[in-house]
Amino acid sequence: MAAVLRVSLGNFLFFTIFALIMIGVKDQNDRRDSWHHGGWITKIIVWSLLVILMFFLPNAVFNMYAMLSKFGSGLFLLVQVIILLDFTHSWNDAWVEKDEQKWYIALLSVSVVCYLATFAFSGLLFFWFNPSGNDCGLNVFFIVMTMILAFGFAIVALHPKVNGSLFPASVISMYCAYLCYTGLSSEPRDYECNGLHKHSKAVSTGTLIMGMITTVLSVVYSAVRAGSSTTFLSPPSSPKAGEKKPLLESDNLDEVEKNKQNEARPVSYSYTFFHLIFALASMYSAMLLTGWTSLSDSEDLIDVGWTSVWVRMCTEWVTAGLYVWSLVAPLILSDREFS
């Protein structure tokens, strides 16, 4: 556990230092732009030295880091939710823009499958985490709330005044069901309402694997989206995809090419925010591996404890709130432009 926190702190410091260095980079003529895209040997050496240095620091430093990582992990989960919302809306818009019946049918089919999976999985949660003969009101509340949220997403998304779609609602519903499962499966193994307590090690290991997969997907997707000239993670001065320029006269082409070589091209995304995502992901990975606490009940169990339960459930509710807000915000803040 101590080794996990030491390596995590080394990663966190490495990406945080780069995030600070990249503050204010607006165009590709800035020298720091080459630091961001190149210098890999130097980066590997610096990263290695930071990780090695962490093994010489006292344990008190890592107890403090573990405390801060809980808050950093919460921020990363929030970023993860925003990335998921961005992904679902982009996917939906891409298929709608094709304006063909087969793509509308595909959207409807995927939406129905996601909703069927959500409610079928919720039924399994009742079977696993509400064993007969036990008073499991808290678990029932968590599961019922998840189902209510799924219904609510569909109602709000299909409201005539809301510019929504059933597909993002179904994906967010399925993600909330997954968060509910990870939260309930993180309950202590001696808790009578945890019907999977006999398989706690397998469950916690599975939760770890899924948590790491979603972490990697979130970081990779944010990197891909940041690398494209879109609005995601992009500063106001960055070039946006799809912008068109008027055709130029052939006589001015040579002069324009010369000007382009000397012209400062703006960066397409925020380098600082890009590195901050990796820094927060380092904290989140450490919390997954240490069970969100430095005083784990058992070294054989990963990501188990009431702290992990409430972090997951609160993340589910924040996810629901952000999604609903993304739908109703254009109605409430009618004087603002949402794209």
Side-chain angles (χ1 to χ4, degrees):
M1 182 181 298
V4 171
L5 290 174
R6 291 175 189 274
V7 174
S8 174
L9 180 56
N11 291 334
F12 173 77
L13 291 176
F14 175 78
F15 290 114
T16 301
I17 290 171
F18 262 90
L20 294 174
I21 291 175
M22 296 298 163
I23 292 177
V25 177
K26 297 181 178 180
D27 59 71
Q28 297 179 14
N29 287 348
D30 194 310
R31 171 184 272 184
R32 293 172 293 175
D33 180 79
S34 61
W35 299 353
H36 175 73
H37 293 287
W40 294 105
I41 296 178
T42 303
K43 289 177 181 178
I44 292 174
I45 293 174
V46 172
W47 172 80
S48 301
L49 290 175
L50 281 173
V51 172
I52 293 172
L53 179 62
M54 296 302 103
F55 284 86
F56 294 94
L57 297 181
N59 290 334
V61 174
F62 300 97
N63 289 332
M64 179 64 69
Y65 174 69
M67 182 72 67
L68 294 175
S69 292
K70 294 179 181 179
F71 297 98
S73 299
L75 289 176
F76 178 76
L77 288 173
L78 180 60
V79 171
Q80 198 175 70
V81 170
I82 295 173
I83 290 173
L84 178 62
L85 289 172
D86 178 77
F87 170 74
T88 55
H89 286 297
S90 298
W91 185 355
N92 183 80
D93 293 342
W95 283 12
V96 169
E97 286 176 359
K98 296 180 183 297
D99 197 20
E100 296 180 13
Q101 185 177 5
K102 63 179 181 180
W103 293 109
Y104 291 120
I105 295 175
L107 274 178
L108 180 61
S109 300
V110 175
S111 301
V112 171
V113 169
C114 288
Y115 262 114
L116 289 176
T118 298
F119 290 110
F121 192 53
S122 298
L124 288 177
L125 295 183
F126 275 111
F127 177 74
W128 289 336
F129 299 102
N130 186 30
S132 59
N134 296 297
D135 183 12
C136 303
L138 182 61
N139 285 0
V140 172
F141 168 74
F142 288 151
I143 300 170
V144 171
M145 179 61 69
T146 300
M147 299 179 70
I148 292 175
L149 289 175
F151 275 116
F153 295 156
I155 293 173
V156 175
L158 296 178
H159 194 278
K161 292 186 178 180
V162 174
N163 185 23
S165 174
L166 190 62
F167 173 68
S170 65
V171 174
I172 297 299
S173 298
M174 191 165 60
Y175 181 66
C176 286
Y178 162 72
L179 289 176
C180 184
Y181 162 73
T182 57
L184 294 174
S185 63
S186 296
E187 292 175 340
R189 70 177 168 183
D190 58 351
Y191 183 50
E192 64 274 7
C193 291
N194 187 348
L196 298 179
H197 67 280
K198 294 181 180 180
H199 310 284
S200 290
K201 184 175 181 179
V203 172
S204 57
T205 303
T207 302
L208 168 68
I209 293 173
M210 288 301 299
M212 295 302 293
I213 289 175
T214 54
T215 300
V216 172
L217 290 177
S218 297
V219 173
V220 170
Y221 180 72
S222 65
V224 172
R225 289 286 279 155
S228 64
S229 296
T230 62
T231 57
F232 184 69
L233 303 183
S234 301
S237 59
S238 65
K240 303 296 186 294
E243 286 186 352
K244 297 181 179 180
K245 296 181 179 180
L247 296 176
L248 301 171
E249 297 293 337
S250 58
D251 296 339
N252 297 329
L253 287 178
D254 294 336
E255 182 180 351
V256 170
E257 286 296 327
K258 293 180 181 179
N259 292 335
K260 280 187 177 180
Q261 294 178 358
N262 298 325
E263 184 182 354
R265 291 178 296 174
V267 297
S268 58
Y269 59 96
S270 170
Y271 295 166
T272 294
F273 195 77
F274 179 85
H275 288 287
L276 279 178
I277 290 177
F278 283 85
L280 295 176
S282 300
M283 285 184 159
Y284 179 66
S285 300
M287 290 295 96
L288 280 179
L289 293 169
T290 59
W292 294 82
T293 177
S294 57
L295 299 173
S296 181
D297 296 333
S298 171
E299 294 182 357
D300 294 331
L301 296 177
I302 301 173
D303 197 23
V304 171
W306 286 109
T307 302
S308 180
V309 172
W310 284 105
V311 167
R312 279 341 187 326
M313 302 314 302
C314 289
T315 301
E316 177 189 344
W317 298 336
V318 170
T319 300
L322 284 175
Y323 174 65
V324 173
W325 174 251
S326 70
L327 295 176
V328 302
L331 298 178
I332 299 175
L333 304 175
S334 56
D335 57 332
R336 293 191 180 185
E337 181 179 352
F338 293 87
S339 58

